[in-house]
């Protein structure tokens, strides 16, 4: 149920009953999106299906499928307002670098363990940085996190800075993938 409808129903029930009736708990429960640095929660829902569909992946297949999912999550993240402006440069500059990182990650795992690596489903919206995470479907632990943030250097307009974090250093360091210029105007929120 959309949050706006939930809030409207809670307010309507409260006003119509002069506060004597408490709205049902299902209306009061807020659906908070996970934080950008929180572990991917998708693993609980996808662990069985990911392992089954990827039972015998080669490194090449893993990289191809993961890059396809990365492109889909990126397009979802950009939304219909940002995507048309930066999509070509993203495909030409950033996506090949993401593919290199994914290939390097695949090289660190034996082929039989690649079936446990999955791509998170929900990029963050609003001002959040998360594009997608690659996590272990069997444990739910993030392995690598791909993010984009807005930068606004003085007198220079807005830039989208693409980077990733790895679990090797506790997701602390930023490994830059590249930047794409937006314009002098403030960009819209993600996923709009």
């Amino acid at each position: 149920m959309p949050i706006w409808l939930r809030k409207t129903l809670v307010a309507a029930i409260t006003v119509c009953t002069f506060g004597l009736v408490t709205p049902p708990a299902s209306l009061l429960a807020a659906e908070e999106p996970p934080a950008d640095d929180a572990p991917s929660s998708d693993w609980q829902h996808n662990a069985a299906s990911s392992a089954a569909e990827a039972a015998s992946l080669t490194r090449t297949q893993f990289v191809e499928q993961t890059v396809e999912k990365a492109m889909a999550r990126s397009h979802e993240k950009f939304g219909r307002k940002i995507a048309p402006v930066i999509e070509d440069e993203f495909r030409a500059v950033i996506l090949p670098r993401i593919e290199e990182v994914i290939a390097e990650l695949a090289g660190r795992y034996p082929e039989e363990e690649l079936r446990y690596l999955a791509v998170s489903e929900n990029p963050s919206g609003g001002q959040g940085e998360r594009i997608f995470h690659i996590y272990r479907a069997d444990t739910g632990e993030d392995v690598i996190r791909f993010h984009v943030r807005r930068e606004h250097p003085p007198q220079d307009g807005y830039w989208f800075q693409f980077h990733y974090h790895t679990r090797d250093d506790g997701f602390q360091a930023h490994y830059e993938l590249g930047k794409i210029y937006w314009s002098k105007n403030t960009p819209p929120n993600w996923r709009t």
Side-chain angles (χ1 to χ4, degrees):
M1 176 182 304
I3 292 176
W4 66 268
L5 182 59
R6 184 176 294 168
K7 289 181 180 181
T8 303
L9 288 172
V10 168
I13 291 170
T14 305
V15 169
C16 292
T17 63
F18 302 108
L20 297 175
V21 175
T22 304
S26 62
L27 289 178
L28 297 175
E31 293 180 14
E32 291 291 322
D36 285 340
D37 57 352
S40 299
S41 60
D42 299 329
W43 74 276
Q44 295 169 340
H45 306 291
N46 298 332
S49 63
S50 294
E53 75 183 29
S56 60
L57 280 181
T58 65
R59 279 184 185 30
T60 305
Q61 290 171 326
F62 171 78
V63 171
E64 288 173 359
Q65 290 176 7
T66 305
V67 169
E68 284 177 24
K69 291 175 184 176
M71 187 61 208
R73 298 304 174 274
S74 299
H75 195 267
E76 184 180 345
K77 167 86 171 168
F78 301 153
R80 56 189 165 78
K81 293 182 180 177
I82 295 176
V85 179
I86 69 168
E87 188 167 15
D88 291 339
E89 193 170 355
F90 176 81
R91 284 180 190 262
V93 178
I94 307 300
L95 194 59
R97 292 184 183 155
I98 290 175
E99 185 172 1
E100 288 173 16
V101 173
I102 292 170
E104 189 272 325
L105 174 70
R108 293 190 296 175
Y109 284 86
E111 279 192 3
E112 60 272 6
E113 285 193 32
L114 292 177
R115 67 183 175 175
Y116 297 114
L117 298 179
V119 177
S120 63
E121 294 290 324
N122 299 313
S124 62
Q127 301 285 325
E129 292 188 3
R130 183 182 63 248
I131 302 173
F132 66 95
H133 296 174
I134 296 177
Y135 63 97
R136 288 199 53 111
D138 56 341
T139 63
E141 295 177 31
D142 284 348
V143 176
I144 193 165
R145 298 172 177 171
F146 290 91
H147 291 171
V148 58
R149 72 172 172 215
R150 299 171 185 205
E151 291 185 345
H152 188 210
Q155 308 293 322
D156 196 25
Y158 286 89
W159 292 81
F160 297 130
Q161 193 265 345
F162 293 85
H163 60 279
Y164 67 96
H165 307 274
T166 67
R167 77 170 171 195
D168 299 337
D169 61 7
F171 304 104
Q172 295 303 309
H174 281 67
Y175 300 97
E176 189 168 327
L177 295 166
K179 292 182 179 184
I180 297 178
Y181 181 72
W182 171 254
S183 77
K184 297 266 185 202
N185 300 326
T186 305
N189 284 337
W190 299 115
R191 298 184 74 173
T192 58

